[in-house]
Amino acid sequence: MISAFRNTLFSHYLLNPKPFFPLILISAQNFSIPNSTFVCSTSSLCKAHSHSTFLSTLMAGGDFLNPLSDKLEKQFEDFRHHLEESGNIRERIRAVATEIDSVTRLIYASLLLVHQSRPVTEVIEKAKSQIGVLKELYSRLSEIVHECPGQYYRYHGDWKSETQTVVSLLAFMHWLETGTLVLHSEVEEKLGLTPTEFGLDVDDYLIGICFMSNELPRYVVNQVTAGDYDCPRKVLKFLTDLHAAFRMLNLRNDFLRKKFDGMKYDLRKVEEVFYDVKIRGLAANGDSAGEKQAQGQS
């Protein structure tokens, strides 16, 4: 009975090298361990200890893992330098974009006076004084982008929103002066941009034109209120031609398409004002041919 109990305890020890009971409490006098078993157990423990020591030596010395570790370290070190340089460039670009945004706010504040029936020449001259500042800022932006050739569209998102606003303001000023649409090449010329080095993205130009059309319904209403009953006819003809030109483009379901869809509502608002003025007999009769053309295209 006692012998079976001793064998059970010893078997449990062999299966579980870390038993839950302290072996030191078991008296060696109570049972004896066969020498052969002790030698076998001691040999196994020595082999396990030697194997663990061998792995520890390899990991500590790095003789086995060093080539792979060096490659990984070099790769991620290169990544770190690349990301730091990219982050510095983005910070510089965003700083210039912030200045562009400040200038566009000043131009927009000046152009808002046109809705209060201020003289157009006076309003435009004040707004034009900031174009030189914009030209200088875009020159700085071009210099920064030139530091990383071929990466124009990688950083383009950091200034495209401000550029779209700039295009809308320049287009509105141009329309107030001439009654026509400013061309893509004319905007580049005003901002000192060159297509081969740092040009104006076509999407930014088109979105800016859509933004400009949003100002026209408000302008028409204020002009009619001030007594200019011929303004709705002029704006209607311009928006009709512009809308027809956009129809030539195969636009996808993106931000540009959404802005173009908004142009239809601008056109509808101007039509409503024009028809209201026409029904009341307030429209000018000097350009009946142009009036019929606008009605036919709408």
PDB file of all heavy atoms in Angstrom, residues 18-46:
ATOM      1  N   LYS A  18       6.823  20.684 -12.007  1.00  0.00           N
ATOM      2  CA  LYS A  18       6.543  21.712 -10.996  1.00  0.00           C
ATOM      3  C   LYS A  18       5.281  21.322 -10.241  1.00  0.00           C
ATOM      4  O   LYS A  18       4.197  21.836 -10.510  1.00  0.00           O
ATOM      5  CB  LYS A  18       6.367  23.072 -11.660  1.00  0.00           C
ATOM      6  CG  LYS A  18       7.644  23.565 -12.336  1.00  0.00           C
ATOM      7  CD  LYS A  18       7.433  24.927 -12.948  1.00  0.00           C
ATOM      8  CE  LYS A  18       8.701  25.420 -13.614  1.00  0.00           C
ATOM      9  NZ  LYS A  18       8.510  26.749 -14.224  1.00  0.00           N
ATOM     10  N   PRO A  19       5.362  20.402  -9.365  1.00  0.00           N
ATOM     11  CA  PRO A  19       4.153  19.933  -8.656  1.00  0.00           C
ATOM     12  C   PRO A  19       3.633  21.004  -7.729  1.00  0.00           C
ATOM     13  O   PRO A  19       4.332  21.938  -7.359  1.00  0.00           O
ATOM     14  CB  PRO A  19       4.648  18.712  -7.887  1.00  0.00           C
ATOM     15  CG  PRO A  19       6.108  18.955  -7.696  1.00  0.00           C
ATOM     16  CD  PRO A  19       6.571  19.694  -8.913  1.00  0.00           C
ATOM     17  N   PHE A  20       2.364  20.805  -7.361  1.00  0.00           N
ATOM     18  CA  PHE A  20       1.733  21.823  -6.509  1.00  0.00           C
ATOM     19  C   PHE A  20       2.143  21.686  -5.057  1.00  0.00           C
ATOM     20  O   PHE A  20       1.886  22.566  -4.266  1.00  0.00           O
ATOM     21  CB  PHE A  20       0.194  21.711  -6.632  1.00  0.00           C
ATOM     22  CG  PHE A  20      -0.360  20.408  -6.102  1.00  0.00           C
ATOM     23  CD1 PHE A  20      -0.768  20.290  -4.786  1.00  0.00           C
ATOM     24  CD2 PHE A  20      -0.441  19.303  -6.947  1.00  0.00           C
ATOM     25  CE1 PHE A  20      -1.265  19.094  -4.321  1.00  0.00           C
ATOM     26  CE2 PHE A  20      -0.959  18.115  -6.471  1.00  0.00           C
ATOM     27  CZ  PHE A  20      -1.369  17.995  -5.163  1.00  0.00           C
ATOM     28  N   PHE A  21       2.755  20.566  -4.694  1.00  0.00           N
ATOM     29  CA  PHE A  21       3.140  20.409  -3.286  1.00  0.00           C
ATOM     30  C   PHE A  21       4.651  20.569  -3.189  1.00  0.00           C
ATOM     31  O   PHE A  21       5.388  20.212  -4.100  1.00  0.00           O
ATOM     32  CB  PHE A  21       2.712  19.032  -2.745  1.00  0.00           C
ATOM     33  CG  PHE A  21       3.213  17.889  -3.595  1.00  0.00           C
ATOM     34  CD1 PHE A  21       4.491  17.357  -3.406  1.00  0.00           C
ATOM     35  CD2 PHE A  21       2.404  17.343  -4.592  1.00  0.00           C
ATOM     36  CE1 PHE A  21       4.932  16.324  -4.180  1.00  0.00           C
ATOM     37  CE2 PHE A  21       2.870  16.306  -5.372  1.00  0.00           C
ATOM     38  CZ  PHE A  21       4.121  15.784  -5.182  1.00  0.00           C
ATOM     39  N   PRO A  22       5.157  21.123  -2.130  1.00  0.00           N
ATOM     40  CA  PRO A  22       6.608  21.289  -1.971  1.00  0.00           C
ATOM     41  C   PRO A  22       7.258  19.946  -1.702  1.00  0.00           C
ATOM     42  O   PRO A  22       6.953  19.271  -0.726  1.00  0.00           O
ATOM     43  CB  PRO A  22       6.730  22.240  -0.783  1.00  0.00           C
ATOM     44  CG  PRO A  22       5.484  22.045  -0.007  1.00  0.00           C
ATOM     45  CD  PRO A  22       4.413  21.685  -0.998  1.00  0.00           C
ATOM     46  N   LEU A  23       8.166  19.573  -2.618  1.00  0.00           N
ATOM     47  CA  LEU A  23       8.829  18.278  -2.468  1.00  0.00           C
ATOM     48  C   LEU A  23       9.749  18.246  -1.257  1.00  0.00           C
ATOM     49  O   LEU A  23      10.092  17.183  -0.755  1.00  0.00           O
ATOM     50  CB  LEU A  23       9.641  17.960  -3.727  1.00  0.00           C
ATOM     51  CG  LEU A  23       8.820  17.694  -4.985  1.00  0.00           C
ATOM     52  CD1 LEU A  23       9.746  17.449  -6.162  1.00  0.00           C
ATOM     53  CD2 LEU A  23       7.892  16.518  -4.775  1.00  0.00           C
ATOM     54  N   ILE A  24      10.160  19.427  -0.822  1.00  0.00           N
ATOM     55  CA  ILE A  24      11.088  19.453   0.304  1.00  0.00           C
ATOM     56  C   ILE A  24      10.452  18.923   1.578  1.00  0.00           C
ATOM     57  O   ILE A  24      11.116  18.500   2.515  1.00  0.00           O
ATOM     58  CB  ILE A  24      11.615  20.883   0.529  1.00  0.00           C
ATOM     59  CG1 ILE A  24      12.831  20.849   1.447  1.00  0.00           C
ATOM     60  CG2 ILE A  24      10.521  21.775   1.072  1.00  0.00           C
ATOM     61  CD1 ILE A  24      13.552  22.175   1.546  1.00  0.00           C
ATOM     62  N   LEU A  25       9.090  18.930   1.598  1.00  0.00           N
ATOM     63  CA  LEU A  25       8.396  18.445   2.787  1.00  0.00           C
ATOM     64  C   LEU A  25       8.327  16.932   2.827  1.00  0.00           C
ATOM     65  O   LEU A  25       7.967  16.333   3.840  1.00  0.00           O
ATOM     66  CB  LEU A  25       6.975  19.018   2.831  1.00  0.00           C
ATOM     67  CG  LEU A  25       6.899  20.548   2.968  1.00  0.00           C
ATOM     68  CD1 LEU A  25       5.454  20.995   2.979  1.00  0.00           C
ATOM     69  CD2 LEU A  25       7.611  21.006   4.240  1.00  0.00           C
ATOM     70  N   ILE A  26       8.598  16.285   1.702  1.00  0.00           N
ATOM     71  CA  ILE A  26       8.530  14.828   1.666  1.00  0.00           C
ATOM     72  C   ILE A  26       9.869  14.280   2.123  1.00  0.00           C
ATOM     73  O   ILE A  26      10.909  14.586   1.536  1.00  0.00           O
ATOM     74  CB  ILE A  26       8.211  14.332   0.248  1.00  0.00           C
ATOM     75  CG1 ILE A  26       6.884  14.924  -0.218  1.00  0.00           C
ATOM     76  CG2 ILE A  26       8.168  12.816   0.184  1.00  0.00           C
ATOM     77  CD1 ILE A  26       6.538  14.581  -1.620  1.00  0.00           C
ATOM     78  N   SER A  27       9.848  13.555   3.140  1.00  0.00           N
ATOM     79  CA  SER A  27      11.082  13.036   3.721  1.00  0.00           C
ATOM     80  C   SER A  27      11.655  11.952   2.833  1.00  0.00           C
ATOM     81  O   SER A  27      10.941  11.090   2.318  1.00  0.00           O
ATOM     82  CB  SER A  27      10.828  12.467   5.124  1.00  0.00           C
ATOM     83  OG  SER A  27      11.984  11.835   5.627  1.00  0.00           O
ATOM     84  N   ALA A  28      12.953  12.006   2.652  1.00  0.00           N
ATOM     85  CA  ALA A  28      13.617  10.987   1.839  1.00  0.00           C
ATOM     86  C   ALA A  28      13.626   9.639   2.515  1.00  0.00           C
ATOM     87  O   ALA A  28      13.882   8.621   1.889  1.00  0.00           O
ATOM     88  CB  ALA A  28      15.057  11.427   1.552  1.00  0.00           C
ATOM     89  N   GLN A  29      13.340   9.638   3.805  1.00  0.00           N
ATOM     90  CA  GLN A  29      13.331   8.384   4.530  1.00  0.00           C
ATOM     91  C   GLN A  29      12.058   7.580   4.273  1.00  0.00           C
ATOM     92  O   GLN A  29      12.015   6.385   4.499  1.00  0.00           O
ATOM     93  CB  GLN A  29      13.471   8.630   6.034  1.00  0.00           C
ATOM     94  CG  GLN A  29      14.791   9.316   6.397  1.00  0.00           C
ATOM     95  CD  GLN A  29      14.874   9.631   7.877  1.00  0.00           C
ATOM     96  OE1 GLN A  29      13.905   9.396   8.616  1.00  0.00           O
ATOM     97  NE2 GLN A  29      16.040  10.112   8.328  1.00  0.00           N
ATOM     98  N   ASN A  30      10.989   8.243   3.824  1.00  0.00           N
ATOM     99  CA  ASN A  30       9.717   7.557   3.647  1.00  0.00           C
ATOM    100  C   ASN A  30       9.717   6.643   2.434  1.00  0.00           C
ATOM    101  O   ASN A  30       9.031   5.631   2.403  1.00  0.00           O
ATOM    102  CB  ASN A  30       8.567   8.544   3.528  1.00  0.00           C
ATOM    103  CG  ASN A  30       8.364   9.306   4.842  1.00  0.00           C
ATOM    104  OD1 ASN A  30       8.708   8.792   5.913  1.00  0.00           O
ATOM    105  ND2 ASN A  30       7.844  10.507   4.752  1.00  0.00           N
ATOM    106  N   PHE A  31      10.414   7.043   1.377  1.00  0.00           N
ATOM    107  CA  PHE A  31      10.476   6.180   0.205  1.00  0.00           C
ATOM    108  C   PHE A  31      11.801   6.415  -0.481  1.00  0.00           C
ATOM    109  O   PHE A  31      12.435   7.462  -0.320  1.00  0.00           O
ATOM    110  CB  PHE A  31       9.306   6.442  -0.774  1.00  0.00           C
ATOM    111  CG  PHE A  31       9.303   7.832  -1.318  1.00  0.00           C
ATOM    112  CD1 PHE A  31       9.974   8.130  -2.521  1.00  0.00           C
ATOM    113  CD2 PHE A  31       8.642   8.855  -0.651  1.00  0.00           C
ATOM    114  CE1 PHE A  31       9.951   9.404  -3.013  1.00  0.00           C
ATOM    115  CE2 PHE A  31       8.636  10.111  -1.162  1.00  0.00           C
ATOM    116  CZ  PHE A  31       9.277  10.402  -2.348  1.00  0.00           C
ATOM    117  N   SER A  32      12.196   5.455  -1.235  1.00  0.00           N
ATOM    118  CA  SER A  32      13.470   5.531  -1.950  1.00  0.00           C
ATOM    119  C   SER A  32      13.208   5.572  -3.443  1.00  0.00           C
ATOM    120  O   SER A  32      12.275   4.942  -3.930  1.00  0.00           O
ATOM    121  CB  SER A  32      14.334   4.307  -1.594  1.00  0.00           C
ATOM    122  OG  SER A  32      13.695   3.116  -1.980  1.00  0.00           O
ATOM    123  N   ILE A  33      14.062   6.309  -4.162  1.00  0.00           N
ATOM    124  CA  ILE A  33      13.933   6.442  -5.619  1.00  0.00           C
ATOM    125  C   ILE A  33      14.971   5.569  -6.267  1.00  0.00           C
ATOM    126  O   ILE A  33      16.158   5.631  -5.907  1.00  0.00           O
ATOM    127  CB  ILE A  33      14.152   7.898  -6.046  1.00  0.00           C
ATOM    128  CG1 ILE A  33      13.131   8.795  -5.348  1.00  0.00           C
ATOM    129  CG2 ILE A  33      14.059   8.051  -7.548  1.00  0.00           C
ATOM    130  CD1 ILE A  33      13.330  10.255  -5.621  1.00  0.00           C
ATOM    131  N   PRO A  34      14.565   4.744  -7.176  1.00  0.00           N
ATOM    132  CA  PRO A  34      15.544   3.880  -7.840  1.00  0.00           C
ATOM    133  C   PRO A  34      16.609   4.708  -8.527  1.00  0.00           C
ATOM    134  O   PRO A  34      16.330   5.782  -9.079  1.00  0.00           O
ATOM    135  CB  PRO A  34      14.697   3.097  -8.857  1.00  0.00           C
ATOM    136  CG  PRO A  34      13.322   3.160  -8.320  1.00  0.00           C
ATOM    137  CD  PRO A  34      13.202   4.445  -7.616  1.00  0.00           C
ATOM    138  N   ASN A  35      17.849   4.226  -8.466  1.00  0.00           N
ATOM    139  CA  ASN A  35      18.967   4.973  -9.033  1.00  0.00           C
ATOM    140  C   ASN A  35      18.801   5.160 -10.540  1.00  0.00           C
ATOM    141  O   ASN A  35      19.112   6.209 -11.083  1.00  0.00           O
ATOM    142  CB  ASN A  35      20.278   4.243  -8.744  1.00  0.00           C
ATOM    143  CG  ASN A  35      20.611   4.279  -7.259  1.00  0.00           C
ATOM    144  OD1 ASN A  35      20.185   5.193  -6.569  1.00  0.00           O
ATOM    145  ND2 ASN A  35      21.357   3.278  -6.781  1.00  0.00           N
ATOM    146  N   SER A  36      18.307   4.102 -11.211  1.00  0.00           N
ATOM    147  CA  SER A  36      18.163   4.199 -12.668  1.00  0.00           C
ATOM    148  C   SER A  36      17.182   5.288 -13.052  1.00  0.00           C
ATOM    149  O   SER A  36      17.391   6.036 -13.993  1.00  0.00           O
ATOM    150  CB  SER A  36      17.715   2.851 -13.238  1.00  0.00           C
ATOM    151  OG  SER A  36      16.472   2.474 -12.692  1.00  0.00           O
ATOM    152  N   THR A  37      16.085   5.360 -12.281  1.00  0.00           N
ATOM    153  CA  THR A  37      15.075   6.399 -12.569  1.00  0.00           C
ATOM    154  C   THR A  37      15.651   7.769 -12.330  1.00  0.00           C
ATOM    155  O   THR A  37      15.424   8.718 -13.082  1.00  0.00           O
ATOM    156  CB  THR A  37      13.831   6.180 -11.695  1.00  0.00           C
ATOM    157  OG1 THR A  37      13.368   4.868 -11.894  1.00  0.00           O
ATOM    158  CG2 THR A  37      12.755   7.175 -12.042  1.00  0.00           C
ATOM    159  N   PHE A  38      16.411   7.924 -11.275  1.00  0.00           N
ATOM    160  CA  PHE A  38      16.992   9.225 -10.943  1.00  0.00           C
ATOM    161  C   PHE A  38      17.976   9.654 -12.020  1.00  0.00           C
ATOM    162  O   PHE A  38      18.018  10.800 -12.449  1.00  0.00           O
ATOM    163  CB  PHE A  38      17.683   9.137  -9.580  1.00  0.00           C
ATOM    164  CG  PHE A  38      18.350  10.427  -9.176  1.00  0.00           C
ATOM    165  CD1 PHE A  38      17.591  11.474  -8.699  1.00  0.00           C
ATOM    166  CD2 PHE A  38      19.722  10.580  -9.299  1.00  0.00           C
ATOM    167  CE1 PHE A  38      18.190  12.657  -8.322  1.00  0.00           C
ATOM    168  CE2 PHE A  38      20.317  11.766  -8.932  1.00  0.00           C
ATOM    169  CZ  PHE A  38      19.558  12.814  -8.440  1.00  0.00           C
ATOM    170  N   VAL A  39      18.750   8.698 -12.499  1.00  0.00           N
ATOM    171  CA  VAL A  39      19.721   9.021 -13.541  1.00  0.00           C
ATOM    172  C   VAL A  39      19.016   9.447 -14.804  1.00  0.00           C
ATOM    173  O   VAL A  39      19.383  10.423 -15.454  1.00  0.00           O
ATOM    174  CB  VAL A  39      20.631   7.809 -13.808  1.00  0.00           C
ATOM    175  CG1 VAL A  39      21.506   8.067 -15.038  1.00  0.00           C
ATOM    176  CG2 VAL A  39      21.493   7.524 -12.600  1.00  0.00           C
ATOM    177  N   CYS A  40      17.938   8.743 -15.154  1.00  0.00           N
ATOM    178  CA  CYS A  40      17.168   9.083 -16.369  1.00  0.00           C
ATOM    179  C   CYS A  40      16.561  10.467 -16.250  1.00  0.00           C
ATOM    180  O   CYS A  40      16.605  11.265 -17.162  1.00  0.00           O
ATOM    181  CB  CYS A  40      16.096   8.027 -16.603  1.00  0.00           C
ATOM    182  SG  CYS A  40      15.075   8.357 -18.057  1.00  0.00           S
ATOM    183  N   SER A  41      15.970  10.744 -15.082  1.00  0.00           N
ATOM    184  CA  SER A  41      15.339  12.040 -14.877  1.00  0.00           C
ATOM    185  C   SER A  41      16.367  13.147 -14.914  1.00  0.00           C
ATOM    186  O   SER A  41      16.170  14.212 -15.494  1.00  0.00           O
ATOM    187  CB  SER A  41      14.577  12.052 -13.549  1.00  0.00           C
ATOM    188  OG  SER A  41      14.041  13.315 -13.291  1.00  0.00           O
ATOM    189  N   THR A  42      17.495  12.895 -14.267  1.00  0.00           N
ATOM    190  CA  THR A  42      18.545  13.911 -14.238  1.00  0.00           C
ATOM    191  C   THR A  42      19.084  14.172 -15.629  1.00  0.00           C
ATOM    192  O   THR A  42      19.339  15.306 -16.029  1.00  0.00           O
ATOM    193  CB  THR A  42      19.679  13.455 -13.318  1.00  0.00           C
ATOM    194  OG1 THR A  42      19.158  13.179 -12.040  1.00  0.00           O
ATOM    195  CG2 THR A  42      20.766  14.521 -13.220  1.00  0.00           C
ATOM    196  N   SER A  43      19.218  13.116 -16.417  1.00  0.00           N
ATOM    197  CA  SER A  43      19.710  13.280 -17.786  1.00  0.00           C
ATOM    198  C   SER A  43      18.750  14.104 -18.631  1.00  0.00           C
ATOM    199  O   SER A  43      19.156  14.953 -19.409  1.00  0.00           O
ATOM    200  CB  SER A  43      19.909  11.897 -18.404  1.00  0.00           C
ATOM    201  OG  SER A  43      20.315  12.016 -19.754  1.00  0.00           O
ATOM    202  N   SER A  44      17.418  13.845 -18.476  1.00  0.00           N
ATOM    203  CA  SER A  44      16.418  14.606 -19.241  1.00  0.00           C
ATOM    204  C   SER A  44      16.453  16.067 -18.870  1.00  0.00           C
ATOM    205  O   SER A  44      16.373  16.967 -19.720  1.00  0.00           O
ATOM    206  CB  SER A  44      15.013  14.036 -18.988  1.00  0.00           C
ATOM    207  OG  SER A  44      14.967  12.685 -19.392  1.00  0.00           O
ATOM    208  N   LEU A  45      16.548  16.340 -17.565  1.00  0.00           N
ATOM    209  CA  LEU A  45      16.590  17.725 -17.118  1.00  0.00           C
ATOM    210  C   LEU A  45      17.833  18.421 -17.631  1.00  0.00           C
ATOM    211  O   LEU A  45      17.801  19.607 -18.028  1.00  0.00           O
ATOM    212  CB  LEU A  45      16.541  17.795 -15.587  1.00  0.00           C
ATOM    213  CG  LEU A  45      15.226  17.358 -14.936  1.00  0.00           C
ATOM    214  CD1 LEU A  45      15.357  17.342 -13.419  1.00  0.00           C
ATOM    215  CD2 LEU A  45      14.108  18.282 -15.356  1.00  0.00           C
ATOM    216  N   CYS A  46      18.946  17.728 -17.672  1.00  0.00           N
ATOM    217  CA  CYS A  46      20.186  18.318 -18.165  1.00  0.00           C
ATOM    218  C   CYS A  46      20.090  18.641 -19.644  1.00  0.00           C
ATOM    219  O   CYS A  46      20.545  19.686 -20.106  1.00  0.00           O
ATOM    220  CB  CYS A  46      21.364  17.370 -17.918  1.00  0.00           C
ATOM    221  SG  CYS A  46      21.778  17.188 -16.165  1.00  0.00           S
TER     222      CYS A  46
END
